[in-house]
């Protein structure tokens, strides 16, 4: 566990360990929950589908495309629950595929096929 106080900055880094230098890591979604087995009901969204939901969330520059860095301030969950768990979804893309998810940024909703 990592112990923090309310409004304390938390800095995180996700690294892709690969021998392929042409890969990019993108933070798509990060959700917090007091229940490590349930990230659907009682949750707090930091970022969802690349869209920042928490005003204290910030991404930081990394000199390596295989490393994603971000931070946020400890939120009200910290004072109400003994433990808070963070679940993040990251996307790995080819560095030069500018049509990939990694380069789309915030995606509010996905298009659906209406069929014939």
């Amino acid at each position: 566990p990592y112990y923090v106080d309310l409004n304390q900055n938390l800095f995180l880094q996700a690294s892709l360990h690969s021998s392929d230098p042409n890969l990019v890591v993108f933070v798509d979604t990060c959700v917090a929950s007091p229940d490590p087995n349930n990230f659907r009901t009682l949750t707090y969204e930091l970022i969802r589908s690349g869209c920042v939901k928490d005003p204290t969330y910030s991404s930081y520059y990394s000199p390596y495309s295989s490393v994603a860095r971000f931070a946020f301030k400890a939120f009200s969950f910290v004072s109400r629950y003994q433990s808070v768990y963070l679940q993040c979804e990251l996307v790995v893309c080819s560095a030069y595929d500018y049509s990939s998810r990694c380069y789309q940024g915030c995606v509010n909703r996905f298009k659906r096929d209406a069929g014939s």
Side-chain angles (χ1 to χ4, degrees):
Y2 186 75
Y3 299 97
V4 295
D5 294 321
L6 187 64
N7 288 324
Q8 181 179 343
N9 284 318
L10 287 116
F11 295 91
L12 294 95
Q13 175 173 298
S15 302
L16 174 66
H17 298 279
S18 171
S19 59
D20 187 343
N22 296 313
L23 296 176
V24 175
V25 176
F26 174 72
V27 181
D28 183 75
T29 299
C30 278
V31 180
S33 172
D35 183 348
N37 300 309
N38 184 350
F39 286 89
R40 298 207 179 273
T41 53
L42 183 60
T43 61
Y44 183 84
E45 293 185 342
L46 295 164
I47 184 169
R48 168 78 64 191
S49 300
C51 303
V52 174
K53 302 295 184 179
D54 181 291
T56 69
Y57 179 95
S58 297
S59 59
Y60 287 89
Y61 168 78
S62 168
Y64 308 103
S65 62
S66 61
V67 175
R69 294 176 175 167
F70 58 99
F72 59 91
K73 289 189 178 202
F75 38 89
S76 59
F77 264 13
V78 171
S79 61
R80 287 185 282 179
Y81 299 98
Q82 184 176 356
S83 297
V84 176
Y85 301 87
L86 189 64
Q87 184 179 72
C88 295
E89 295 175 19
L90 292 95
V91 180
V92 177
C93 306
S94 294
Y96 304 105
D97 181 3
Y98 298 108
S99 64
S100 70
R101 176 70 191 98
C102 295
Y103 294 98
Q104 293 174 4
C106 174
V107 177
N108 283 318
R109 63 181 187 167
F110 296 97
K111 296 178 182 176
R112 294 183 186 161
D113 184 5
S116 54

